[in-house]
Amino acid sequence: MGDHMTALRVALTELRRLTDSTFARVALAAMVLVPSLYAGLYLYANKDPYANLDGLPAAVVVQDRGTTLATGEKLQVGDEVADTLITGRDLEWHRVDEQQAHHGLEEGDYAFVLTIPESFSADLASSADFTPRLANLELETNDATNYLAGTIAERVVDQVQTSVAQQVSRTAASQLLGGLSTVHDQVGKAATGSAQLASGAHDAHAGSTKLASGAAELVTGQQQLANGSAQLSSGAARLNSGLATLDQRTNSLPGQTQQLAKGARQVADGNAKVAEAGARAAAAGSRITRDLEAFDSELPTRLAGAGLTQDQIDAVLAETARLRQPIADANSTLQSTSKDLGALSSGANQVADGAEQLASASSDLESAIDTAAAGSAELATGARDLNAGQQKALTGSKDLAQGAKDLDAGLAKLDSGAAQLSSSLAEGAKGIPNPTDAQRTAVAQTIGSPVGIVSEALARAGSYGAGLAPFFLSLALWIGGFTLFTRARPLVEEALTTRWAILPVALGGWLAPAIIGVAQAILTWVIVRFAVGIDLAHPWWMLAFMVLVSMVFMAIIHGLMARLGDTGQFIALVLMVLQLVSAGGTFPWETLPGPLQWLHHVLPMSYSVAGLRTLAYGGPTTHLWLDVAVLLAWGAGALFLSTAAARRVHLRVRDQGSLAEPVGA
């Protein structure tokens, strides 16, 4: 207990020394304010540097001559870009000519110059002609005026490039989608026409099938007709030859028929006389036959009267019948011959009449035969011509049949192809987008800006100043400790009366600056939280963590100076520089060179920055306990170093004989 009271007395003694005069109190107050001023002013100045860019002067030079699109529309993107920049007021834009821009950049009147070249619009429209060219923006900076102005300029140009690209993409996409609607309509019309074509092709195919069948039948008929015409030609030739012969041979026919008629008449007259004589002979034969029949009917009576027996009568009758038979036959022949002679006479008269008629008509017949012979000659010639024509017609009908067959095959393919074309066009029309104006606008905007960012953060700083706060708060607390130890004594050597005082003196030498460091941490937290206005996720826990960081940093600097004196103070300065570049306060520590990455994992400020980030921004606190443990380890190590330094001083003073040892030492 006494040792602890000794450590507190040592600390109070040191604090009284640091405040024993007005100047000392003012100096101490200034030291307490150092971290607040450093962190507060820096974070205040850099809280949101991009919010005041509207006061940064920049020049835009428009040389774009514009171009005319294929639709006749005038494209003047350069003026649109300049107007957008000026009305946007992101910077203090001035539209000037090239000479003014270069003069202003040299004199520092403009942070940078953005030039839109003459071919800018034409280059943007070049893709429509399938000769795409990049549309370049020319940026001119002057790092001698301000280096970061060039970085800001590049950021602005990137935004302009993105905006123009989105506008061009939206325009191109809108035209493309409009073209798709036109294509959809035209393909729809083509599908309707192809359906009609398919229907017509189907009908044509059906007709061509009938045509092919009819042509085949025509060939058969033509073949038969050709055969018939050949036979007709042959028959006509033979008829002509026969009629010619007949004509020659009938030239004497009229005279001959006259003679024939005369002779026939004579024959007819002779036959008439013969027929008349035959008729008389037949009549006599008939009378004889009737007389014999009358005699036969009386003969049995007479024979019976003469006393003949019946057998005798029958024998006589049989004999008379036998004798009378030739007479009956002769009578029959006479009767038949008389009829024949009558018929012959009648026929002879008819022949005579016919011969007379033939003689009368033979002149007309001979004239008709002459005419028929001449007509048959013409018929033969016509039949030959008809046969030749039929042969040509047969050849043509065969060609027609083959053509009809080929046409049918072709129309079959056309029918199938037209049906497939109609189906394909109908399906194609369904597959071609036909967006409405609203859909076209929405899709064009999406194509122009296809990627959006939905940002989600486990922890969010909120501003540029808040993002740098953990680093500069840590650095400020280190600087506060470094500054404080320009006046504070690491060890109060006169308090090392015994070796039992080593630890209290070491703790007391650290405790006095640690108390001032706590004040520095609290004041810095108040300035950052309320004066600068940085929002903190866990403000009270962050205050406690800052107190811990300040006490650890005080212990480290105290230990170095207690052990090494002024050299320790120099090492503390070097250690601050090393932590400045390795803590990962601005860029991610993974981007550091290899040796600095190793230092990042070792030095304490890396863990103070990491812990302050967790408490300032929120998010998982999994690694916060590691940060606290590492800082406590550094603090314990530093106190061990200061205790070793106190022991070393104790031994040196004892060896000089000015230190009394207690009993039992």
Side-chain angles (χ1 to χ4, degrees):
M1 184 69 178
D3 289 343
H4 290 295
M5 291 301 295
T6 301
L8 183 58
R9 284 196 298 270
V10 171
L12 292 175
T13 299
E14 184 63 16
L15 287 175
R16 282 194 296 271
R17 188 187 68 81
L18 293 174
T19 57
D20 60 358
S21 65
T22 302
F23 176 78
R25 288 192 291 273
V26 171
L28 182 61
M31 291 179 183
V32 172
L33 287 174
V34 165
S36 302
L37 291 173
Y38 178 80
L41 290 176
Y42 193 92
L43 294 177
Y44 173 73
N46 293 277
K47 182 179 180 181
D48 192 2
Y50 294 104
N52 300 317
L53 290 179
D54 56 351
L56 183 67
V60 57
V61 179
V62 179
Q63 298 175 340
D64 184 21
R65 294 180 299 185
T67 188
T68 301
L69 301 177
T71 58
E73 179 183 356
K74 182 70 174 179
L75 185 65
Q76 188 74 39
V77 182
D79 291 335
E80 295 179 8
V81 171
D83 293 342
T84 301
L85 292 175
I86 293 172
T87 57
R89 300 184 181 277
D90 293 331
L91 301 176
E92 185 183 325
W93 286 99
H94 301 270
R95 183 168 179 174
V96 297
D97 59 31
E98 185 177 6
Q99 185 177 359
Q100 292 174 319
H102 287 298
H103 179 74
L105 185 64
E106 291 176 355
E107 296 297 323
D109 296 334
Y110 304 128
F112 59 88
V113 175
L114 178 65
T115 301
I116 304 174
E118 296 179 353
S119 62
F120 189 72
S121 294
D123 292 339
L124 285 176
S126 61
S127 296
D129 299 328
F130 297 97
T131 56
R133 301 183 300 274
L134 288 178
N136 294 313
L137 294 170
E138 298 175 0
L139 178 65
E140 190 174 1
T141 60
N142 185 359
D143 289 350
T145 301
N146 191 313
Y147 171 72
L148 288 181
T151 303
I152 295 172
E154 291 176 356
R155 177 182 174 186
V156 171
V157 171
D158 288 342
Q159 292 176 348
V160 172
Q161 181 183 17
T162 301
S163 176
V164 172
Q166 290 175 353
Q167 178 182 358
V168 172
S169 297
R170 284 195 297 268
T171 302
S174 180
Q175 293 176 348
L176 174 63
L177 293 173
L180 284 177
S181 296
T182 302
V183 170
H184 180 276
D185 294 340
Q186 295 302 321
V187 171
K189 293 178 181 178
T192 302
S194 67
Q196 296 173 351
L197 173 63
S199 177
H202 181 72
D203 294 341
H205 179 215
S208 68
T209 301
K210 295 179 180 178
L211 175 62
S213 176
E217 294 176 358
L218 175 63
V219 170
T220 303
Q222 284 293 128
Q223 184 66 56
Q224 294 174 350
L225 184 60
N227 294 337
S229 67
Q231 295 174 356
L232 174 62
S233 177
S234 176
R238 292 195 299 271
L239 176 62
N240 181 41
S241 176
L243 286 174
T245 303
L246 180 62
D247 184 34
Q248 291 176 356
R249 296 182 179 181
T250 57
N251 288 331
S252 59
L253 181 62
Q256 294 174 349
T257 56
Q258 289 295 332
Q259 294 176 357
L260 177 63
K262 184 178 179 180
R265 180 54 63 188
Q266 292 174 353
V267 172
D269 291 343
N271 285 335
K273 293 178 178 179
V274 172
E276 184 179 358
R280 289 194 299 268
S286 295
R287 285 192 301 271
I288 293 172
T289 301
R290 285 194 301 270
D291 290 344
L292 289 174
E293 288 177 352
F295 175 77
D296 284 341
S297 64
E298 296 176 354
L299 183 57
T301 303
R302 290 178 178 182
L303 290 176
L308 294 178
T309 64
Q310 187 61 40
D311 292 334
Q312 292 173 337
I313 293 172
D314 290 336
V316 173
L317 288 175
E319 185 64 24
T320 58
R322 183 181 64 81
L323 294 174
R324 194 175 53 251
Q325 185 62 39
I327 296 172
D329 293 338
N331 183 52
S332 176
T333 299
L334 285 174
Q335 295 300 325
S336 175
T337 301
S338 177
K339 289 180 181 179
D340 292 340
L341 289 174
L344 177 61
S345 176
S346 177
N349 285 328
Q350 292 176 354
V351 169
D353 293 340
E356 289 174 353
Q357 292 176 356
L358 176 62
S360 175
S362 61
S363 296
D364 296 335
L365 176 61
E366 196 277 333
S367 177
I369 290 174
D370 288 340
T371 303
S376 68
E378 294 177 359
L379 175 62
T381 301
R384 285 195 301 270
D385 294 340
L386 175 62
N387 183 45
Q390 287 298 329
Q391 293 298 328
K392 292 181 180 179
L394 176 60
T395 302
S397 65
K398 290 181 179 179
D399 293 339
L400 174 63
Q402 184 61 43
K405 183 178 180 181
D406 295 340
L407 175 62
D408 184 51
L411 286 176
K413 294 181 180 178
L414 176 61
D415 185 15
S416 175
Q420 184 176 359
L421 174 63
S422 177
S423 176
S424 298
L425 284 175
E427 290 297 324
K430 294 178 183 178
I432 296 174
N434 185 26
T436 62
D437 292 340
Q439 290 173 331
R440 187 160 54 248
T441 301
V443 172
Q445 290 177 348
T446 301
I447 294 176
S449 302
V451 179
I453 298 177
V454 179
S455 179
E456 296 183 3
L458 295 178
R460 191 180 298 277
S463 67
Y464 180 77
L468 294 178
F471 174 61
F472 283 99
L473 287 174
S474 298
L475 189 59
L477 294 176
W478 186 279
I479 292 174
F482 183 84
T483 304
L484 183 61
F485 273 102
T486 59
R487 286 185 51 81
R489 293 181 299 174
L491 293 175
V492 182
E493 294 186 4
E494 60 269 24
L496 290 170
T497 56
T498 66
R499 68 189 182 98
W500 302 110
I502 293 175
L503 182 58
V505 169
L507 290 176
W510 161 74
L511 186 58
I515 293 172
I516 299 173
V518 169
Q520 288 178 335
I522 294 173
L523 183 58
T524 301
W525 179 86
V526 170
I527 294 296
V528 170
R529 177 69 178 85
F530 297 104
V532 179
I534 293 178
D535 293 328
L536 304 174
H538 306 287
W540 299 109
W541 282 109
M542 184 171 173
L543 175 60
F545 190 79
M546 287 177 63
V547 169
L548 171 64
V549 170
S550 178
M551 295 176 71
V552 169
F553 286 176
M554 288 294 184
I556 294 171
I557 299 172
H558 171 260
L560 289 173
M561 293 189 66
R563 178 65 180 83
L564 302 173
D566 293 340
T567 302
Q569 189 176 28
F570 175 75
I571 292 176
L573 178 62
V574 172
L575 198 59
M576 182 186 70
V577 173
L578 291 176
Q579 293 181 111
L580 184 68
V581 297
S582 66
T586 53
F587 289 93
W589 64 267
E590 290 87 354
T591 64
L592 297 172
L596 293 183
Q597 288 192 23
W598 180 81
L599 288 176
H600 170 82
H601 292 293
V602 173
L603 298 179
M605 194 177 291
S606 301
Y607 298 91
S608 70
V609 170
L612 289 174
R613 279 176 177 163
T614 299
L615 296 171
Y617 309 151
T621 58
T622 306
H623 298 289
L624 181 62
W625 303 111
L626 175 63
D627 300 329
V628 172
V630 172
L631 289 172
L632 289 176
W634 269 92
L639 290 175
F640 177 80
L641 182 61
S642 62
T643 302
R647 182 175 183 279
R648 184 170 178 271
V649 172
H650 166 71
L651 294 176
R652 176 171 56 79
V653 173
R654 188 193 66 179
D655 291 341
Q656 291 175 353
S658 61
L659 186 62
E661 289 291 337
V663 178

